[in-house]
Amino acid sequence: MKSSIGSDAFALLALTFISIFVLLLLRHFLPLRTTPAYLIVPIFLAVALPISIILLVPIDLASSSRIEDEALRGIWLPEGVLLVAWRLTYWLTFALTWFILPLLGEYTDSGYRTAKDRILYSIRSNGRYQLIVLACAAAGGIYVFLQNGFDGGSVKSLVMALAYCWGLVMAIYLMGHGLVAVPRRLFRNANISDRLRRIQSQAPKANDRLTDATTELEELEAQLTQLRKRKNAVSRDHEEWIEDISDASSLPDPRVAITATGVPVPALPAVITDRYLAELSRKLIRARHKRARFINTWDHLVQDAVDTQAIINAGASKRLDFGKASSHSSWLERMSFLTPYTRYLLYAKVIPAIRIVHGAVFLLASVCVIWSELVKYVAPQLSIISLTILTYNKETVAQVGFGGQVVASMWLFYMSFAALASFDDVKIWGNRALVRRNTYGESATWYSMQMAKLTVPLAYNFITFFPRDIHRETTFYHFLGRLILLTPLSAGFDYFFPIFILVPVCATLFNLYGRVKNIFGFGILEDDEEGNPSGFGTGGWREGHDLIERELHGTARLGLSNTENRPSSPVASDVQNSVEAGAPQNTSTGSSSRPAVPRQSTYAQRQAQRLADATAAAEEEDENFFQGFAHRVKNTIDSVERPDWLNEIGKRPKWMGGVDGNPESSGRADSGRGMGKWFGRRPADGRVRL
């Protein structure tokens, strides 16, 4: 009997490595010390189990392969061990996806104090979602029971098939988008000038979101301050609850008038209830994380713009120095042994070349995946993925060796990465986002839930790339595949639906999303194009360039100043005193250090700045071509200085009412007289249209 000791040792080492990697990943996005264990453990399992599937599928392929030579067989496990591994992985993932993580997400986002109230809120919030799932299951159950009869196997098949179909729909759409977006993003970032233009075009939207998030948080803080003034008129439990919310918000003394900052004071309800306090607590938590998220996005965007501009400016001197590294700097920027010349070569020559090479490789891989999806039903032997994995012996028997296992893991990893990379582009997920060291608990549970939901359908879709006599010998097929193919409808769906990957591929490739947005007024994807290059007020790169310049020079709309001299306020202290905020704390101490990115201002300052920007944009946009031409001709004529002798000719004599030195005696000095009246009256404040 063959021994699998070597394969067992490899599997244990792989699981240990996956566990360490997942812990480091969670540490990057979550504060492990303050995050409760009831969130850490399910999120850890929801991330570690899908990653282990990337290794379990190649092991299953090699274990079911007919290879007599153990040296060529690669990593393999006995059939009983594989079956137990698939059962544990699948049912844990199923429970986490459909029950545990949705309940934990709402439990974290409830805003209530006691565990009982949180559980009740979570059950009520998930009730409608679970009812919709049960209604779909009931509709599918009627078809399955009529086809195969009512028994335990039919119920199990129904549950697994419905979960697989829903996950496959999302996986195919997201993977189709990512197969185009990932290589295209690499090609675009290879051009440094175009990359700077795209960063600048993203600045107006990022700045507006940060401004809105700050205003929203200030309004909620003002509401909480007013509530603290009334805490003596509420019950003892509500008073303690208000104090807990205030301690978490780091509010200043409630005796300070909130109207001093210009924030509108909201009206409080006549009766303070548990539901009102829970809603206020939930909104405050969301607003703080939302602001921290956009602070991190804005700081990262500004730092990218500064670094990219430094690379472009170093083209003449061939010497690149980023200065003092910030918290957003990569490990390459933290290297101190690089000279300015080698750093310039690395960022201006080597890294763009690497991006182009990787973009070409990923583009070729995307074409291979799409081709394999199209031909896997009619001609699976022509699937490029199966041809790169399978080897044939002298008897022309297909086999999967160790090299094929490595290639299979790479293919499955790229498919999963393309699907997960689309989460940043598709904006149908609400206000959820991953923030470094400050991810909201509800967002973390949601992202881990989607990762667990997508990996199993992608894994089974991957083994269908192989001929039927190969993938139907795997343990994965006997556990999941035969139940999915229990009815003709589900069998046809499994083979024909992946052809619809052409829909998201073509939509992304030919920018059909932008055309849909122009027609219907709404879009599905985040805007990653250059935007409208016309200028200010339209979200173009010129407005973004101006915002970044004002940010770096301390005159931005967010009230930028040095981080050392940042004023104390409830909003500032919330992020500054929290380790979870993830915002850089560096200061601009000299020309060699990176510019600081402060972000504090008052409500009135931001409102005034936004009004000024809107007014300037309206003046630029609310005139047609002829009005603009008339303004420019008028400015040209008014700016011409006439000689003194010519002014004397135009003067009226004293007996006709003329006064020496009176500028209004000139026939053209006033824009409302003379030739000026032909082109419109000049503004009273002396502004000139250029």
Side-chain angles (χ1 to χ4, degrees):
M1 182 177 180
K2 297 180 181 179
S3 176
S4 61
I5 296 178
S7 299
D8 296 340
F10 176 83
L12 291 176
L13 289 176
L15 289 177
T16 304
F17 175 78
I18 290 174
S19 301
I20 296 175
F21 173 75
V22 173
L23 284 176
L24 294 177
L25 186 65
L26 295 183
R27 181 181 178 273
H28 181 77
F29 291 109
L30 289 172
L32 296 182
R33 296 180 180 178
T34 57
T35 304
Y38 64 81
L39 282 180
I40 291 292
V41 175
I43 293 174
F44 173 83
L45 292 175
V47 177
L49 291 175
I51 295 178
S52 64
I53 291 177
I54 297 177
L55 297 179
L56 191 58
V57 170
I59 293 176
D60 194 359
L61 289 171
S63 301
S64 60
S65 181
R66 306 182 187 93
I67 299 180
E68 300 296 334
D69 190 359
E70 284 193 42
L72 300 177
R73 195 171 189 180
I75 309 301
W76 66 279
L77 294 174
E79 184 178 356
V81 176
L82 278 175
L83 182 59
V84 172
W86 277 119
R87 284 176 176 173
L88 288 175
T89 302
Y90 179 83
W91 289 115
L92 278 176
T93 304
F94 183 88
L96 289 168
T97 300
W98 297 100
F99 300 105
I100 299 177
L101 289 175
L103 290 173
L104 283 178
E106 295 297 336
Y107 180 87
T108 305
D109 193 44
S110 64
Y112 286 93
R113 296 182 68 193
T114 63
K116 178 182 177 181
D117 293 336
R118 290 186 176 186
I119 293 174
L120 293 176
Y121 174 84
S122 179
I123 294 175
R124 288 195 303 267
S125 300
N126 283 274
R128 285 175 290 184
Y129 169 73
Q130 298 296 342
L131 286 177
I132 294 174
V133 173
L134 289 176
C136 296
I142 296 175
Y143 168 74
V144 173
F145 297 150
L146 292 176
Q147 188 76 23
N148 301 314
F150 182 81
D151 55 11
S154 298
V155 176
K156 180 181 177 182
S157 173
L158 172 66
V159 172
M160 299 177 73
L162 290 178
Y164 170 78
C165 292
W166 172 241
L168 185 64
V169 170
M170 289 188 58
I172 290 298
Y173 168 72
L174 294 174
M175 185 179 68
H177 174 79
L179 291 177
V180 178
V182 170
R184 183 170 62 183
R185 188 177 296 117
L186 288 172
F187 283 127
R188 286 178 173 178
N189 290 337
N191 191 317
I192 301 176
S193 300
D194 291 346
R195 183 187 178 192
L196 178 62
R197 184 66 58 85
R198 279 189 299 274
I199 292 174
Q200 293 172 345
S201 65
Q202 296 169 3
K205 180 177 290 187
N207 187 270
D208 289 341
R209 287 176 174 176
L210 177 56
T211 304
D212 295 339
T214 304
T215 303
E216 179 183 356
L217 181 57
E218 286 182 348
E219 292 175 353
L220 292 172
E221 297 280 13
Q223 187 176 356
L224 180 58
T225 301
Q226 292 290 71
L227 187 61
R228 291 178 66 187
K229 296 178 181 179
R230 287 182 50 185
K231 68 179 182 179
N232 295 328
V234 297
S235 64
R236 182 66 178 175
D237 293 338
H238 287 172
E239 183 179 353
E240 294 178 355
W241 195 347
I242 294 172
E243 286 298 327
D244 292 342
I245 299 175
S246 302
D247 294 340
S249 303
S250 301
L251 279 178
D253 191 344
R255 292 171 295 181
V256 180
I258 195 67
T259 55
T261 60
V263 180
V265 180
L268 297 180
V271 179
I272 305 299
T273 62
D274 291 348
R275 184 175 180 179
Y276 170 77
L277 292 178
E279 184 71 19
L280 178 60
S281 177
R282 181 165 55 252
K283 289 182 178 180
L284 279 169
I285 295 174
R286 289 178 179 177
R288 285 197 296 269
H289 285 276
K290 182 179 179 181
R291 182 175 182 271
R293 165 195 172 188
F294 290 128
I295 283 176
N296 182 77
T297 302
W298 176 250
D299 291 349
H300 188 74
L301 186 144
V302 172
Q303 197 62 63
D304 283 348
V306 172
D307 294 344
T308 308
Q309 187 66 59
I311 297 172
I312 296 176
N313 295 340
S317 62
K318 309 296 182 182
R319 297 175 64 85
L320 178 61
D321 186 8
F322 289 123
K324 185 179 179 181
S326 68
S327 59
H328 295 281
S329 302
S330 63
W331 62 273
L332 281 175
E333 298 179 7
R334 298 177 187 272
M335 289 185 177
S336 58
F337 61 86
L338 292 177
T339 64
Y341 179 70
T342 56
R343 187 178 293 108
Y344 169 77
L345 293 179
L346 177 64
Y347 283 92
K349 306 296 181 182
V350 177
I351 292 181
I354 293 176
R355 285 173 176 160
I356 292 176
V357 172
H358 280 78
V361 173
F362 289 157
L363 177 61
L364 182 61
S366 300
V367 173
C368 295
V369 172
I370 297 171
W371 171 259
S372 299
E373 292 282 7
L374 298 178
V375 304
K376 71 175 185 178
Y377 180 74
V378 294
Q381 65 275 8
L382 298 180
S383 172
I384 299 177
I385 293 180
S386 65
L387 292 176
T388 58
I389 296 174
L390 297 177
T391 58
Y392 295 88
N393 56 15
K394 296 180 180 179
E395 291 80 14
T396 65
V397 177
Q399 301 172 346
V400 179
F402 180 75
Q405 287 181 301
V406 175
V407 176
S409 298
M410 295 173 62
W411 280 116
L412 189 54
F413 174 78
Y414 178 66
M415 293 170 60
S416 303
F417 175 76
L420 296 177
S422 302
F423 281 103
D424 290 337
D425 297 333
V426 181
K427 58 176 183 179
I428 59 177
W429 319 119
N431 194 33
R432 301 178 178 95
L434 295 175
V435 184
R436 181 177 179 269
R437 299 291 178 86
N438 198 22
T439 302
Y440 188 31
E442 193 272 341
S443 297
T445 57
W446 187 88
Y447 274 95
S448 59
M449 178 181 67
Q450 301 305 320
M451 186 175 180
K453 183 187 298 183
L454 298 178
T455 307
V456 173
L458 281 177
Y460 183 75
N461 180 63
F462 174 78
I463 68 171
T464 58
F465 291 154
F466 300 92
R468 291 178 178 84
D469 59 339
I470 299 295
H471 80 263
R472 291 192 176 183
E473 294 294 329
T474 61
T475 306
F476 195 18
Y477 173 81
H478 291 290
F479 171 71
L480 177 66
R482 65 181 181 85
L483 297 178
I484 295 176
L485 305 180
L486 191 62
T487 61
L489 181 61
S490 58
F493 179 84
D494 178 54
Y495 279 102
F496 287 104
F497 181 77
I499 298 177
F500 285 92
I501 194 175
L502 293 176
V503 175
V505 167
C506 294
T508 308
L509 187 62
F510 301 107
N511 193 26
L512 298 182
Y513 299 112
R515 299 182 181 181
V516 170
K517 184 176 181 180
N518 293 334
I519 296 175
F520 296 100
F522 64 90
I524 301 177
L525 301 183
E526 291 285 354
D527 298 330
D528 60 347
E529 303 293 335
E530 289 80 353
N532 189 349
S534 59
F536 294 91
T538 59
W541 67 269
R542 292 184 177 89
E543 183 179 357
H545 174 270
D546 181 72
L547 289 172
I548 294 173
E549 287 296 320
R550 285 191 289 174
E551 180 84 1
L552 298 176
H553 293 87
T555 58
R557 72 172 64 188
L558 299 179
L560 299 180
S561 59
N562 196 308
T563 52
E564 291 181 336
N565 301 324
R566 187 182 305 169
S568 176
S569 70
V571 181
S573 59
D574 169 63
V575 179
Q576 185 175 0
N577 297 334
S578 176
V579 181
E580 307 172 10
Q585 300 296 328
N586 56 316
T587 57
S588 55
T589 57
S591 59
S592 62
S593 61
R594 293 173 181 270
V597 188
R599 75 269 306 166
Q600 182 58 35
S601 68
T602 64
Y603 179 85
Q605 289 174 342
R606 288 194 305 276
Q607 292 296 103
Q609 182 63 44
R610 298 177 74 174
L611 179 61
D613 291 345
T615 303
E619 289 182 356
E620 291 288 341
E621 295 176 355
D622 293 343
E623 62 178 15
N624 56 33
F625 170 78
F626 298 101
Q627 290 174 331
F629 177 75
H631 275 295
R632 286 162 177 80
V633 173
K634 169 182 169 297
N635 292 337
T636 302
I637 297 175
D638 288 346
S639 61
V640 175
E641 296 184 1
R642 297 198 300 179
D644 294 338
W645 62 270
L646 188 60
N647 291 331
E648 295 293 335
I649 296 178
K651 280 188 177 181
R652 288 179 295 177
K654 293 182 179 181
W655 59 273
M656 293 183 63
V659 180
D660 292 339
N662 186 0
E664 295 207 357
S665 63
S666 174
R668 192 180 51 85
D670 186 355
S671 59
R673 302 181 182 182
M675 296 184 64
K677 65 182 179 180
W678 294 357
F679 302 101
R681 190 174 297 274
R682 190 168 188 171
D685 55 356
R687 288 181 293 175
V688 177
R689 184 169 302 276
L690 302 178

